[in-house]
């Protein structure tokens, strides 16, 4: 399958991946269709912290004025919203964040799904 586009950036690749996913019987969730769910503000402390992706890049999660926020190394902070238990999404970019727990139930890593990539950050 080939997708041609008259734009710069990764739009054509993203569209191609989405079309292949659907062609194989998978589902593609549109960012505009994501619905945030309510979350107990006290439970957000389970996720707060810094998650190291590489020596030069980390994702920091924190609560500010009751809003769950994230900030990547060298970038501005922005809010993220709960989609379900341990799953969040930002509204400013098409991405998904899944917090992973160990056998004891403690959050130990976060997985960022964005632009067809999947990267994991380990909690410090």
């Amino acid at each position: 399958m080939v997708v041609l586009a008259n734009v710069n950036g990764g739009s054509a690749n993203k569209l191609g991946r989405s079309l292949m996913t659907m062609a194989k019987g998978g589902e593609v969730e549109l960012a505009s269709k994501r619905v945030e769910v309510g979350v107990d503000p006290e439970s957000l402390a389970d996720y707060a912290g810094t998650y190291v992706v590489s020596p030069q890049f980390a994702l920091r999660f924190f609560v500010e004025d009751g809003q769950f926020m994230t900030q990547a190394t060298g970038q501005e902070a922005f809010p993220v919203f709960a989609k379900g238990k341990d799953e969040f999404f930002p509204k400013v970019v098409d991405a998904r964040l899944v917090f992973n727990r160990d056998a004891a139930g403690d959050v130990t890593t976060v997985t960022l799904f964005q632009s067809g990539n999947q990267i994991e950050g380990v909690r410090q």
Side-chain angles (χ1 to χ4, degrees), residues 33-45:
K33 298 296 182 186
R34 290 187 182 137
V35 177
E36 61 186 272
V37 297
V39 63
D40 176 18
E42 291 181 14
S43 70
L44 295 175

Side-chain angles (χ1 to χ4, degrees), residues 59-106:
L59 298 169
R60 182 173 72 100
F61 294 91
F62 57 99
V63 178
E64 183 175 271
D65 298 327
Q67 176 63 59
F68 194 45
M69 305 283 290
T70 188
Q71 184 173 21
T73 302
Q75 298 179 25
E76 296 290 321
F78 54 83
V80 290
F81 304 89
K83 181 177 181 202
K85 181 173 173 51
D86 298 338
E87 188 171 346
F88 293 80
F89 65 95
K91 293 183 179 179
V92 296
V93 295
D94 186 11
R96 187 168 59 101
L97 298 153
V98 176
F99 290 89
N100 308 295
R101 296 177 182 269
D102 62 14
D106 297 322

